[in-house]
Amino acid sequence: MPDAPLDARPARAPVGEALAGLLLTFPAALAYLLMLLLPTAATILLAFTDYELGMPGFAWIGLGNFEELLEDRGFAIALRNTVVYVGLVAPLSILLGLGAALLIEAGIRGRGLFRAVFFLPVVSLTVAMAAAWQYLLHPTIGPLNAFLRTLGMTAPPFWLSSSDWVLLSLSAIGIWENVGYNMVLFLAGLTAIPRELHQAAEVDGARGWLARFRLVTWPLLGPTTLFVLTITMIRSIRVFDTVAVLTQGGPNKASEVLLHTMYKEGFTFLRLGYSAAITLVFLAMVLGLVWLQTKALDKRVHYG
């Protein structure tokens, strides 16, 4: 019997490879469907209903939940506090993270220790660190107020129980949490910049470190900075753990934020339909920020 043509023998190989690829991707695709796509679709549907947890049924109310949001003073306060929190945490944590990365990259003594200290908040449990902050900021036994009293301040602030100070205190904690993460990202970007470019800039007349930073380092850090800005904005806008542990949104809603409001409406007041509407507003804000940053900054970024 004559042998089959050589070009006809491997005809089934691509089919087998495709089947193997489908089998390998099936677990990830199933997890993506069950854990992301279906919950997202359910949230979108619930946002247009009056469903309450434990109720046997629900009614379609269209945009009723969103109309209630516009008239809800608590939601307006949470939205304002979230915007203020992001406006404080994002720029300051990015600047401090960049400064820490530049200092460590400059070769200061003990750079390994500084890298570990700055990165500690990233690998620590947020709830555990929030409990530590609760002790540090305690108005009577806290070390911070004890130190202020030694400096002569007779009435130190009530950091977490004063409407004037609570959001600033939470913002300081948020900055502390994000600086180490941003530092590591900036260190990766600085490592990727060839040192020969700094030497060439120095030969061309950029003698000081500030001139070399402005002419070489900062332009080449563009992609890293855009990524850090996007990640930090998202991490800041989804603040929840510290609020839930330290203040529960108080006092007088002075520290109420969107995610905490969404949690309370859904799991304290059991209004899942209204909570889903807040979730959609939150997702719209996140997507809007990412789109705005990409459109506004991506064209200015230099990709070497």
Side-chain angles (χ1 to χ4, degrees), residues 279-293:
T279 305
L280 290 190
V281 173
F282 172 80
L283 291 177
M285 290 178 60
V286 172
L287 294 176
L289 284 174
V290 173
W291 179 84
L292 182 62
Q293 291 168 15

Side-chain angles (χ1 to χ4, degrees), residues 57-291:
F58 58 88
W60 297 97
I61 59 174
L63 299 176
N65 287 325
F66 298 96
E67 293 174 355
E68 184 178 349
L69 282 178
L70 296 176
E71 301 174 357
D72 188 350
R73 182 174 176 271
F75 173 77
I77 293 174
L79 180 61
R80 183 198 64 192
N81 290 340
T82 302
V83 172
V84 172
Y85 181 89
V86 174
L88 291 173
V89 172
L92 291 177
S93 61
I94 290 173
L95 291 175
L96 292 175
L98 176 60
L102 289 172
L103 288 175
I104 292 175
E105 184 65 17
I108 61 173
R109 295 182 61 182
R111 54 189 298 181
L113 175 63
F114 283 112
R115 186 185 289 114
V117 168
F118 282 118
F119 195 67
L120 178 63
V122 182
V123 297
S124 303
L125 291 176
T126 305
V127 175
M129 298 311 296
W133 277 104
Q134 191 171 32
Y135 166 69
L136 292 172
L137 300 178
H138 195 277
T140 56
I141 64 173
L144 179 57
N145 277 3
F147 173 73
L148 293 177
R149 290 190 191 95
T150 61
L151 298 179
M153 184 178 293
T154 57
F158 284 60
W159 301 104
L160 298 176
S161 55
S162 169
S163 299
D164 298 327
W165 288 100
V166 63
L167 194 58
L168 293 176
S169 302
L170 292 176
S171 299
I173 296 173
I175 294 169
W176 174 79
E177 289 177 340
N178 284 282
V179 164
Y181 188 76
N182 294 340
M183 177 200 69
V184 171
L185 295 176
F186 278 122
L187 278 175
L190 290 171
T191 305
I193 299 176
R195 295 189 178 275
E196 292 79 6
L197 294 179
H198 292 279
Q199 297 171 357
E202 187 174 358
V203 171
D204 290 339
R207 300 296 183 184
W209 69 268
L210 185 60
R212 292 193 295 272
F213 174 80
R214 180 175 60 86
L215 296 173
V216 178
T217 306
W218 182 243
L220 293 180
L221 274 180
T224 303
T225 304
L226 178 60
F227 178 75
V228 170
L229 178 61
T230 303
I231 292 298
T232 306
M233 294 285 281
I234 294 175
R235 285 167 61 93
S236 302
I237 202 174
R238 62 180 179 84
V239 56
F240 172 78
D241 295 350
T242 52
V243 174
V245 174
L246 295 176
T247 67
Q248 293 82 45
N252 299 322
K253 294 185 179 294
S255 62
E256 190 68 49
V257 292
L258 280 180
L259 282 188
H260 192 255
T261 300
M262 178 177 61
Y263 171 80
K264 287 199 308 182
E265 292 291 342
F267 298 100
T268 302
F269 306 128
L270 307 181
R271 302 179 62 198
L272 287 188
Y274 192 64
S275 177
I278 299 176
T279 305
L280 290 190
V281 173
F282 172 80
L283 291 177
M285 290 178 60
V286 172
L287 294 176
L289 284 174
V290 173
W291 179 84

